[in-house]
Amino acid sequence: MVFVANATAGIKLVMEAFRDNDRGYWYGYHADSHTSLVGVREAASAGSTCFLSDHEVEEWLSNKINPSPSSSEETKETKFLGLFAYPAQSNMNGRRLSLSWPGQLRSSNLPRHTNVFSLLDAAALVSTAQLDLSDPITAPDFTVLSFYKTFGFPDLGALIIRKQSIEPLLSRKYFGGGTVQVVSCMKEQWHIKKEDSIHEFLEDGSLPIHSIVALDCALRVYSRLFGNPELVSSHTSFLSRELYNRLSSLRHGNGQHMCRIYKASSSNYGDCLTQGPIIALNFLDYKGNYVSNSEIEKLALIRNIQFRTGGLCNPGGIQTLLGLAPWELKRNFSAGYRCGLENDIMRGKPTGVIRLSLGAMSNLNDITAFVELVKEYFVEYQDLKPLAIPTSPTYYIERLTIFPIKSCGSYEILGDWDVHAQGLAFDREWCVLRQGSNRALSQKEYPKMALIKPRIDLENGFLHVEYHQSKIKIPLSADPRQYKAQNQSQLCNNNTINLQTYTSKETTNFFTNAIGTPCTLARLPTYSSGPNNNNNTTTTRHSKPHLQPHHPNNLPPNQPPNTPQNPSQTLLTNESPILTISLSSLNHLNSQIKLSHGKPAQASVFRANILLGEHPPPSQNQNPTASPTPEHPYAEDTWRHMRIIPSSPSSPSPSIYFTFPSPCRRCQMICIDQDTAERDREPFCTLAKTRRRMGNVLFGLHTVFLGVGGERGARIKVGDIVVPIKEEEVQGDERLKGLLGCS
Ligand SMILES: *Cc1c(COP(=O)(O)O)cnc(C)c1O
């Protein structure tokens, strides 16, 4: 046994030796292989073959097909060298593969099999099963595994070599500290490898001594806790059968199955020989459409349930299961799909799966907890009926809020305020950068940022910032002496923009002490367009290069949110200039949260700029004794634009138009209380149950200012009347048609 860092390192060690062989080598691998096995094909100078099924492997072993280079072309058949690799258990769906192939290969006396060695990847298998290598007739030539997968600790792996199979490893050219006896490197260059014991010439460098010592402890603790691997195997096998049975019986109200489980027809949950305790699946909604994996993952995390989603480092397996053709992979790749991103459903097909893995520590309660979560959030008993929508409710601006420093506290606007294509004045004009890295910090990672309270003081021209007892003030004018030289910063996604970083010790200390990590303030470049219509203020107009103006008519109608077509569009859905939410929808959501005894959400958690109220504003309410108008939650789902009518009748100014490019997709960040910085389950849990559309949890509308007959921008204030405009109502509004560029 050779200690290595992990299973991958063991595979690479074998690969190195085969590659360094003068004859080169042919490589055959099973389609269920982990990426770490697939990569070995790149060094196979005599070609490689991917066996698409067990059947193909068996046909090759029984000489029905011959994918390896034809031995007839070789004058001496012994020259041929090959390596055949496969996983003992698929790391994707837990299917256990035959352990008899290495023996079959060895006992075959066909010339084309004689020099083919077997490499068994046991990394997934041995975490919940015993692997018996005691018989050298049937054992694989090389076996790799990772101990941390069985014991959790230490981080260590092993390459186990069958002693009689050492020959191809001897051709490895590299030598390093520990693997040689003598090295000469002056005039003559020669060395003598340690070949007395097999492991010595393969152990490059110092051994991970402490990990090896810890492994001994791990083995003892394991047997004390679990007895032996057979017990772990039968325990996990029982649990996985239970989980499989419960999940496969879940149905929606209309009888539609909820889970598409990727089980091989040849394997059975509960049978340790053919199936490990892993379930790979996707969820389906009422209509049979796939539910986004990342959505399920977000909810599960709130309940402390962890599983892996995506391609799982098993490219062949995933492509076979999901029926993804190479051209589809390429198309998805061009459309922005990458491992680990959230766009996990592309053109109606999932790009990955959910993998539920059970281990020695799992128990029946874990299974119940997961099945309950699924039932609670994803079983649909009836078609979601759209809420009845009124013909013409009246809306008004209930509250205007800006967030001068991205991810920090809010500042509520009481008077009227500038709005332009880049959003509300001073909104998200500053951000906090991690020192050295030039990355903007976010409340997701640092909830305490919510407690940093900014205030815009136009009278004196300062941004005041408070955190508990400490305060600082920052001039609103862009005095270059405050800043470091222009700085390239990664603020959002892949857009690089120029930021100006504040260098004073006071500013740096303030933010570093408040957030608890080295950081400082930075400002997006601004430009002044001279004094505005309100003469006693020193407001400047601002450009936000990261918030590019949005052109609504370029957007296909009803485009689902977060379907990236190009990077800048993704940027817009993440970072639109303005966010609008409806108080009626919030009230409705809170009444649902109360039903489940959860903590009602404050409007502030949604970090919206415009909060819309539904009743007529108090001044217009002619009859105060009239019963309150019923509210119309989620009426905004049908809005495409809105007109804001400035409410001051003394100085009549024209209506201002806004458009809603897309609904806003939500994540757990809305669970951070903006007054205490504490996290809760709500409102995300209830929102996920009630507002999931095409795999996204939606609340609020991204909003873009459409202009008011010129570049000037406009001013809005609390109390202004808001008229929502649906798609079919655009025709009736000449001014809006003009702004949208319709004929
Ligand atoms: C985890 C795993 C690997 C990779 O193991 P590392 O420890 O990351 O090198 C390879 N094959 C299978 C089947 C696995 O489950």
Side-chain angles (χ1 to χ4, degrees):
M1 187 167 83
V2 182
F3 284 114
V4 286
N6 47 38
T8 305
I11 295 167
K12 279 172 73 180
L13 202 52
V14 174
M15 179 273 286
E16 263 178 35
F18 275 70
R19 181 192 60 196
D20 293 350
N21 210 286
D22 297 335
R23 299 163 277 178
Y25 71 101
W26 165 85
Y27 184 55
Y29 62 101
H30 195 288
D32 280 356
S33 295
H34 187 278
T35 313
S36 296
L37 275 189
V38 177
V40 177
R41 72 179 182 203
E42 300 299 312
S45 53
S48 68
T49 300
C50 176
F51 294 103
L52 296 181
S53 61
D54 294 6
H55 182 69
E56 283 194 7
V57 173
E58 267 143 21
E59 295 232 295
W60 167 65
L61 287 173
S62 62
N63 199 27
K64 293 214 184 75
I65 57 168
N66 179 22
S68 44
S70 165
S71 40
S72 61
E73 286 169 21
E74 303 269 351
T75 40
K76 286 181 207 142
E77 275 155 4
T78 47
K79 270 203 142 186
F80 177 72
L81 181 64
L83 183 62
F84 164 62
Y86 72 100
Q89 173 179 311
S90 158
N91 69 310
M92 180 190 57
N93 64 358
R95 184 172 82 89
R96 289 182 175 163
L97 285 77
S98 167
L99 293 175
S100 66
W101 291 338
Q104 273 174 262
L105 183 60
R106 186 168 299 121
S107 63
S108 161
N109 41 27
L110 291 164
R112 73 174 59 111
H113 291 154
T114 43
N115 251 332
V116 180
F117 291 78
S118 54
L119 167 59
L120 182 72
D121 174 1
L125 178 79
V126 294
S127 61
T128 51
Q130 176 118 321
L131 177 65
D132 181 359
L133 298 177
S134 60
D135 181 2
I137 310 288
T138 56
D141 296 305
F142 314 112
T143 304
V144 291
L145 53 98
S146 291
F147 290 113
Y148 74 88
K149 289 198 180 180
T150 307
F151 304 117
F153 182 85
D155 300 334
L156 194 64
L159 164 64
I160 302 170
I161 301 163
R162 183 179 168 270
K163 282 189 177 163
Q164 292 98 312
S165 310
I166 187 68
E167 192 269 330
L169 299 187
L170 296 173
S171 26
R172 192 172 79 116
K173 295 210 172 94
Y174 179 80
F175 64 84
T179 64
V180 277
Q181 297 180 359
V182 196
V183 184
S184 159
C185 43
M186 305 303 278
K187 287 209 168 116
E188 298 167 61
Q189 306 214 336
W190 53 270
H191 68 278
I192 295 173
K193 284 198 200 164
K194 286 188 187 165
E195 291 184 358
D196 306 345
S197 72
I198 295 170
H199 67 93
E200 277 193 329
F201 76 87
L202 293 166
E203 285 165 354
D204 297 333
S206 309
L207 284 169
I209 313 153
H210 301 101
S211 296
I212 295 171
V213 172
L215 183 62
D216 183 47
C217 302
L219 283 161
R220 276 184 283 128
V221 171
Y222 181 92
S223 51
R224 222 171 60 220
L225 286 177
F226 309 121
N228 57 54
E230 272 95 25
L231 285 175
V232 171
S233 177
S234 53
H235 169 69
T236 52
S237 183
F238 159 76
L239 288 179
S240 65
R241 189 185 56 202
E242 194 62 28
L243 181 58
Y244 174 78
N245 287 344
R246 293 201 208 169
L247 288 175
S248 51
S249 64
L250 287 178
R251 284 165 191 264
H252 290 293
N254 60 353
Q256 160 75 42
H257 274 289
M258 279 204 63
C259 304
R260 180 165 174 218
I261 300 179
Y262 301 104
K263 180 183 89 68
S265 55
S266 57
S267 60
N268 283 308
Y269 285 95
D271 171 16
C272 302
L273 280 181
T274 57
Q275 182 63 53
I278 287 180
I279 295 181
L281 77 167
N282 284 117
F283 285 98
L284 302 166
D285 71 10
Y286 195 83
K287 295 189 178 124
N289 298 318
Y290 287 98
V291 178
S292 156
N293 293 338
S294 58
E295 219 49 57
I296 296 167
E297 197 172 8
K298 282 182 206 164
L299 282 167
L301 278 177
I302 292 179
R303 296 262 171 112
N304 275 332
I305 300 174
Q306 313 234 8
F307 46 75
R308 193 165 156 192
T309 61
L312 314 176
C313 288
N314 195 309
I318 288 288
Q319 286 150 38
T320 315
L321 285 192
L322 303 179
L324 286 170
W327 66 267
E328 282 179 298
L329 275 187
K330 277 202 179 129
R331 182 198 61 196
N332 291 350
F333 181 82
S334 323
Y337 172 74
R338 299 291 184 276
C339 288
L341 287 190
E342 282 196 2
N343 49 341
D344 52 16
I345 297 176
M346 301 197 81
R347 308 205 182 201
K349 262 191 187 184
T351 56
V353 299
I354 289 179
R355 182 180 68 186
L356 307 171
S357 310
L358 299 163
M361 287 284 188
S362 310
N363 60 33
L364 268 179
N365 289 344
D366 299 333
I367 285 173
T368 306
F370 182 73
V371 174
E372 286 309 309
L373 172 95
V374 172
K375 279 192 188 160
E376 189 174 340
Y377 288 97
F378 295 103
V379 178
E380 292 170 44
Y381 293 101
Q382 53 189 319
D383 236 332
L384 292 169
K385 285 206 183 62
L387 295 152
I389 287 166
T391 41
S392 57
T394 324
Y395 294 88
Y396 64 99
I397 299 181
E398 164 87 27
R399 191 185 303 167
L400 273 182
T401 311
I402 58 168
F403 303 87
I405 310 174
K406 195 178 139 68
S407 262
C408 291
S410 60
Y411 173 62
E412 192 173 337
I413 290 159
L414 300 174
D416 50 359
W417 202 255
D418 275 12
V419 58
H420 36 73
Q422 287 82 28
L424 293 167
F426 294 113
D427 186 39
R428 285 173 285 170
E429 183 157 322
W430 290 266
C431 64
V432 185
L433 287 186
R434 183 191 298 285
Q435 214 146 64
S437 84
N438 277 340
R439 280 205 154 266
L441 299 186
S442 143
Q443 210 179 95
K444 245 187 231 176
E445 277 174 280
Y446 299 97
K448 271 165 86 183
M449 292 175 82
L451 307 180
I452 299 176
K453 301 287 181 198
R455 178 165 61 86
I456 302 277
D457 171 7
L458 293 177
E459 293 284 321
N460 303 299
F462 283 106
L463 165 71
H464 297 271
V465 193
E466 277 188 45
Y467 178 76
H468 294 309
Q469 310 316 342
S470 43
K471 296 178 185 162
I472 48 164
K473 57 181 188 179
I474 304 219
L476 290 179
S477 70
D479 176 355
R481 278 169 305 174
Q482 311 165 70
Y483 304 115
K484 236 200 304 207
Q486 293 255 315
N487 209 335
Q488 291 264 303
S489 170
Q490 279 236 297
L491 188 60
C492 17
N493 296 9
N494 39 17
N495 245 37
T496 306
I497 54 171
N498 285 319
L499 282 177
Q500 293 168 308
T501 313
Y502 291 79
T503 47
S504 91
K505 263 233 138 41
E506 194 199 359
T507 312
T508 310
N509 287 347
F510 175 87
F511 285 97
T512 300
N513 292 338
I515 300 175
T517 187
C519 58
T520 191
L521 190 69
R523 187 176 190 172
L524 299 156
T526 62
Y527 63 89
S528 169
S529 68
N532 65 20
N533 41 5
N534 192 344
N535 286 332
N536 53 15
T537 68
T538 52
T539 321
T540 51
R541 299 199 192 280
H542 315 284
S543 92
K544 290 185 195 154
H546 67 303
L547 304 176
Q548 295 152 18
H550 203 278
H551 300 293
N553 29 354
N554 292 347
L555 207 72
N558 299 326
Q559 191 205 330
N562 240 41
T563 332
Q565 315 240 305
N566 62 52
S568 67
Q569 204 155 300
T570 325
L571 198 65
L572 285 165
T573 36
N574 294 340
E575 294 260 345
S576 78
I578 302 171
L579 190 63
T580 304
I581 62 170
S582 138
L583 186 57
S584 308
S585 304
L586 176 61
N587 290 341
H588 182 72
L589 174 65
N590 277 335
S591 66
Q592 290 171 318
I593 292 177
K594 278 181 207 145
L595 285 181
S596 57
H597 309 289
K599 177 178 165 232
Q602 309 241 310
S604 56
V605 299
F606 296 101
R607 298 180 65 82
N609 299 109
I610 302 178
L611 175 68
L612 294 182
E614 195 178 323
H615 309 287
S619 62
Q620 301 225 329
N621 200 340
Q622 306 292 330
N623 179 3
T625 58
S627 62
T629 352
E631 295 188 330
H632 303 92
Y634 302 121
E636 66 271 25
D637 286 353
T638 60
W639 304 349
R640 298 282 291 142
H641 316 279
M642 72 176 166
R643 180 157 73 98
I644 294 187
I645 307 170
S647 64
S648 147
S650 55
S651 59
S653 38
S655 289
I656 307 158
Y657 288 86
F658 293 79
T659 191
F660 302 121
S662 61
C664 183
R665 181 182 177 161
R666 297 302 188 160
C667 65
Q668 296 99 313
M669 190 161 149
I670 59 172
C671 294
I672 302 171
D673 186 311
Q674 299 293 297
D675 296 324
T676 63
E678 278 162 13
R679 288 183 208 258
D680 195 81
R681 286 179 175 190
E682 297 294 2
F684 188 71
C685 280
T686 300
L687 210 52
K689 277 188 222 170
T690 55
R691 289 285 297 166
R692 206 153 26 77
R693 301 286 183 279
M694 303 185 62
N696 297 306
V697 176
L698 306 179
F699 194 86
L701 298 170
H702 289 296
T703 309
V704 180
F705 175 62
L706 274 182
V708 56
E711 296 294 301
R712 270 187 337 120
R715 294 174 83 80
I716 55 174
K717 65 176 174 307
V718 169
D720 282 356
I721 295 167
V722 175
V723 183
I725 301 169
K726 297 182 195 167
E727 188 67 56
E728 63 269 23
E729 292 164 347
V730 175
Q731 282 309 315
D733 190 323
E734 288 305 322
R735 181 170 216 133
L736 174 60
K737 272 163 62 184
L739 287 169
L740 290 173
C742 320
S743 51

